[in-house]
């Protein structure tokens, strides 16, 4: 329960709150946490475009990680990159076809890997041998064949460097990059052996080793040629992570479409008698429409962020009220564009599908990230222009207007909203913030009003940071 309970008749708690927050920075609601939490999120596949589902995972995952840290849990953020499976045989063939060297990989790894994948797939349409060849290359990778495997290591390094540039724009920082390729057939085999010992495995009609998770359902976990599957790598990864981190909870922020996969994963861990299996939680989310493109032309995350930035830059150039010097415009329009993208996503309930809408997303009016930034900037400039003094005593007798009560109510909901988001893993943005009106001119505001607005400002800024935004002071 929130330690802040405010009614109009009971303002005093809020005033204490206002003061404490001014003196000590925004303090988190008091909860007895100290849990060891893993948040696995983003997790794109390195030869395929970072699609909008990965963007949702990145935004939601980052916010869940922020909330957990704010509430004093120990948080490890993991990005689990998909770099394994027959598809990577295709990538390899595509690279060989075009003699792609490390320099090219170095300058534009993500797009280079993707074009290689697309090229090899095109070739496979007319040449059926390619698929077999791709499988063979993947088999070599699985068994850690020297040359192929070493090359792969380089490709991975370049990719991380490139991804980090984009994550930086989103203020996302991972503690660990982990790879499906950490869980090669060798490592998976240890667990398969254990399953054999426990007599959990049968051969299915494709000669794959499968485990029965229920009467009707067999889940294949090893292919007939001895290569691993997505699920077998996840089983091995979960066990490995538990050994390393002894986590209390591990969240997987992954789209709704993988619900079966995660249910299977948890059930299989139960079959292995691992008592911590229920500490795994699949945090799912709906789809985004309106971003699909013609075949072969993928939407890259970087391109989305660039477009949002360009639109915001143009608007800032055209607006007469812009307070940013020209040479700083690039930076602020990037932050604004990113804010638009993040809030468009977080204002939805996780499970909702939504339509990607550039206009709504970057609109100054309405429930947008731009509006939140604008509100924060107004509060900053109000404070800057005001000649009142920021006092440390709160005198409730002076704050009488109904607008004041509304604002206090909003401020007082901070704890409750944070705790609710934490419990339900729903950011649930309170858009009432954008109704915050500052009617009086600074000269009419007394010290008490300044104190109130100052508190509103720091609470708003803290909330924006939790959502993954960088609060701007001017725009
Ligand atoms: N790379 C996967 C994909 O793009 C998502 C990985 C999710 N995490 C996991 N542990 N399976 O579909």
């Amino acid at each position: 329960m929130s330690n802040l309970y405010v009614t109009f008749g009971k303002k005093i708690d809020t005033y204490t709150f206002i003061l404490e927050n001014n003196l000590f920075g925004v303090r988190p609601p008091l909860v007895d946490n100290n849990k060891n939490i893993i948040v696995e999120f983003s997790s794109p596949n390195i030869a395929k475009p970072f699609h909008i589902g990965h963007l949702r995972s990145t935004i939601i995952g980052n916010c869940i990680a922020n909330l957990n840290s704010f509430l004093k849990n120990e948080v490890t953020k993991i990005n689990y990159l998909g770099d394994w499976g027959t598809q990577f045989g295709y990538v390899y063939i595509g690279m060989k076809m075009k003699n792609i060297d490390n320099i090219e990989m170095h300058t534009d790894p993500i797009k280079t890997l993707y074009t290689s994948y697309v090229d090899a797939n095109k070739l496979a349409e007319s040449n059926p041998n390619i698929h077999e060849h791709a499988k063979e290359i993947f088999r070599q990778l699985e068994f850690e064949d020297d040359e192929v495997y070493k090359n792969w290591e380089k490709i991975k390094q370049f990719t991380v460097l490139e991804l980090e540039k984009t994550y930086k724009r989103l203020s996302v920082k991972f503690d660990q990059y982990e790879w499906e390729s950490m869980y090669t057939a060798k490592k998976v085999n240890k667990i398969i052996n254990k399953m054999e010992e426990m007599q959990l495995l049968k051969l299915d009609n494709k000669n794959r080793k499968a485990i029965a998770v229920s009467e009707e359902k067999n889940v294949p976990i090893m292919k007939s040629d001895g290569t691993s599957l997505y699920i077998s790598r996840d089983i091995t990864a979960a066990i490995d992570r538990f050994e390393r981190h002894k986590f209390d909870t591990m969240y997987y922020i992954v789209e709704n479409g993988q619900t079966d996969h995660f249910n299977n994963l948890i059930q299989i861990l139960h079959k292995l008698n691992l008592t911590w299996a229920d500490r795994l939680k699949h945090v799912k989310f709906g789809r985004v429409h309106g971003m699909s493109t013609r075949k072969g032309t993928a939407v890259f995350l970087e391109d989305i962020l660039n477009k949002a930035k360009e639109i915001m830059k143009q608007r800032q150039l055209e607006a007469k009220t812009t307070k940013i010097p020209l040479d700083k415009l690039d930076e602020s329009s990037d932050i604004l564009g990113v804010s638009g993208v993040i809030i468009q996503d977080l204002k939805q309930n996780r499970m909702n599908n939504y339509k990607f809408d550039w206009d709504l997303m970057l609109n100054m009016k309405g429930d947008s990230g731009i509006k939140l930034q604008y509100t924060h900037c107004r509060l900053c400039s109000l404070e800057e222009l005001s000649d009142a003094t920021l006092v440390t005593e709160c005198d409730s007798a002076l704050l009488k207007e109904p607008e004041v009560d509304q604002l206090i109510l909003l401020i007082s909901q901070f704890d409750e909203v944070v705790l609710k988001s934490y419990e339900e893993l729903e950011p649930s943005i309170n858009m009432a913030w954008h109704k915050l009106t500052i009617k009086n001119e600074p000269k009419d505001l007394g010290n008490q009003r300044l104190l109130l607005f100052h508190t509103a400002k720091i609470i708003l800024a803290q909330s924006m940071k939790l959502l993954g935004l960088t609060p701007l002071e001017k725009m």
Side-chain angles (χ1 to χ4, degrees):
M1 239 329 265
S2 164
N3 54 355
L4 242 180
Y5 175 72
V6 176
T7 60
F8 290 88
K10 208 183 170 214
K11 276 190 207 163
I12 195 73
D13 282 356
T14 306
Y15 292 123
T16 323
F17 176 74
I18 290 179
L19 269 179
E20 277 181 16
N21 277 302
N22 273 296
L23 297 176
F24 309 115
V26 182
R27 57 144 176 75
L30 300 170
V31 269
D32 184 20
N33 267 346
N34 262 319
K35 298 208 182 70
N36 184 356
I37 306 289
I38 294 197
V39 189
E40 189 222 89
F41 64 105
S42 199
S43 310
N45 303 316
I46 68 172
K48 292 198 199 151
F50 189 115
H51 61 68
I52 200 88
H54 299 122
L55 176 59
R56 278 208 93 176
S57 169
T58 311
I59 293 173
I60 296 170
N62 190 44
C63 181
I64 289 177
N66 288 344
L67 278 167
N68 271 278
S69 307
F70 187 61
L71 293 173
K72 309 281 185 226
N73 283 327
E74 184 69 42
V75 179
T76 309
K77 293 179 274 184
I78 298 183
N79 193 349
Y80 180 62
L81 293 141
D83 66 329
W84 221 228
T86 308
Q87 69 219 42
F88 294 97
Y90 278 93
V91 175
Y92 214 84
I93 295 174
M95 285 171 58
K96 281 265 145 88
M97 262 164 58
K98 281 208 182 149
N99 267 327
I100 286 168
D101 57 15
N102 278 339
I103 306 201
E104 225 159 317
M105 276 306 304
H106 197 86
T107 46
D108 201 355
I110 294 179
K111 284 184 184 157
T112 308
L113 287 172
Y114 176 64
T115 8
S116 306
Y117 176 73
V118 172
D119 288 350
N121 266 293
K122 272 198 199 117
L123 192 66
E125 280 170 19
S126 58
N127 181 348
N129 293 334
I130 295 290
H131 186 65
E132 284 312 309
H133 190 175
K135 271 168 75 178
E136 177 51 28
I137 290 184
F138 176 57
R139 224 180 55 79
Q140 289 173 0
L141 274 167
E142 272 281 50
F143 293 97
E144 302 177 21
D145 175 292
D146 243 18
E147 189 219 6
V148 183
Y149 196 74
K150 269 193 201 132
N151 258 325
W152 203 243
E153 288 298 318
K154 278 207 198 94
I155 290 174
K156 281 159 43 176
Q157 282 163 19
F158 296 146
T159 307
V160 167
L161 290 178
E162 184 71 14
L163 279 173
E164 282 192 324
K165 286 188 208 153
T166 310
Y167 287 133
K168 198 165 168 217
R169 292 173 72 178
L170 290 165
S171 313
V172 171
K173 205 167 178 330
F174 288 96
D175 299 303
Q176 281 157 22
Y177 284 86
E178 299 192 345
W179 306 85
E180 286 189 35
S181 60
M182 283 163 62
Y183 306 104
T184 56
K186 256 195 201 168
K187 311 223 168 61
V188 172
N189 265 325
K190 280 197 193 145
I191 289 156
I192 304 259
N193 290 341
K194 176 114 201 276
M195 290 175 174
E196 309 253 36
E197 264 168 42
M198 296 172 78
Q199 299 188 324
L200 295 171
L201 298 180
K202 291 187 211 133
L203 284 185
D204 72 0
N205 54 6
K206 287 186 182 156
N207 248 345
R208 297 175 298 194
K209 287 181 183 165
I211 180 167
V213 289
S214 65
E215 299 252 323
E216 322 78 67
K217 197 166 169 198
N218 289 315
V219 181
I221 53 170
M222 180 66 95
K223 285 200 260 182
S224 59
D225 66 356
T227 54
S228 62
L229 289 156
Y230 182 49
I231 183 85
S232 29
R233 296 189 284 275
D234 255 326
I235 299 167
T236 319
I239 295 174
D240 177 49
R241 288 181 197 167
F242 189 73
E243 280 165 6
R244 284 186 287 139
H245 297 274
K246 298 279 182 297
F247 51 77
D248 292 299
T249 307
M250 170 152 69
Y251 295 112
Y252 292 94
I253 322 296
V254 186
E255 62 187 3
N256 202 10
Q258 296 197 25
T259 303
D260 272 352
H261 171 80
F262 286 102
N263 286 341
N264 290 343
L265 172 62
I266 295 169
Q267 283 179 346
I268 292 171
L269 296 174
H270 273 300
K271 289 272 168 202
L272 284 164
N273 294 333
L274 297 166
T275 50
W276 46 266
D278 287 328
R279 299 187 190 187
L280 271 51
K281 301 270 181 267
H282 176 203
V283 181
K284 29 190 147 173
F285 51 83
R287 289 184 170 278
V288 184
H289 304 296
M291 280 305 274
S292 58
T293 47
R294 280 167 294 121
K295 217 178 156 194
T297 53
V299 189
F300 290 88
L301 172 59
E302 205 195 337
D303 301 333
I304 298 179
L305 299 187
N306 287 349
K307 178 164 173 186
K309 173 181 169 178
E310 274 323 304
I311 298 176
M312 287 318 297
K313 191 168 170 183
Q314 207 47 45
R315 296 226 186 120
Q316 290 215 290
L317 280 170
E318 283 159 15
K320 292 192 184 70
T321 49
T322 300
K323 297 184 182 63
I324 306 288
L326 268 184
D327 61 324
K328 291 265 163 46
L329 213 51
D330 241 26
E331 199 185 320
S332 70
S333 40
D334 197 30
I335 292 178
L336 285 171
V338 164
S339 305
V341 174
I342 293 180
I343 297 302
Q344 149 159 283
D345 198 286
L346 289 182
K347 77 178 191 206
Q348 323 284 336
N349 278 331
R350 262 197 289 118
M351 288 305 287
N352 281 2
N353 299 335
Y354 74 89
K355 192 173 166 298
F356 202 91
D357 184 326
W358 290 104
D359 276 342
L360 278 181
M361 171 176 110
L362 299 175
N363 206 318
M364 257 294 284
K365 303 191 185 91
D367 297 345
S368 71
I370 316 301
K371 185 73 200 194
L372 279 182
Q373 290 285 11
Y374 178 71
T375 306
H376 185 257
C377 290
R378 289 220 40 205
L379 287 168
C380 288
S381 79
L382 178 123
E383 196 170 314
E384 194 187 17
L385 300 176
S386 157
D387 42 24
T389 316
L390 195 57
V391 288
T392 51
E393 289 291 293
C394 188
D395 182 354
S396 57
L398 291 176
L399 296 166
K400 286 201 181 108
E401 301 83 342
E403 289 87 354
V404 168
D405 285 344
Q406 278 171 25
L407 181 53
I408 287 179
L409 189 66
L410 202 53
I411 292 173
S412 70
Q413 284 161 353
F414 176 75
D415 276 15
E416 233 167 282
V417 171
V418 167
L419 287 172
K420 186 164 175 275
S421 313
Y422 170 67
E423 271 149 28
E424 296 173 6
L425 303 171
E426 285 280 4
S428 54
I429 296 172
N430 186 347
M431 275 297 176
W433 280 104
H434 77 69
K435 301 206 182 77
L436 184 87
T437 47
I438 303 162
K439 287 195 181 131
N440 296 346
E441 290 306 311
K443 63 177 162 23
D444 299 319
L445 290 172
N447 296 351
Q448 289 299 317
R449 298 206 93 193
L450 182 66
L451 177 60
L452 181 62
F453 281 125
H454 175 76
T455 310
K457 184 192 83 172
I458 60 175
I459 296 280
L460 177 60
Q462 180 62 60
S463 313
M464 289 166 77
K465 285 184 205 155
L466 286 172
L467 298 171
L469 266 46
T470 307
L472 285 170
E473 295 188 354
K474 282 191 170 56
M475 65 187 269

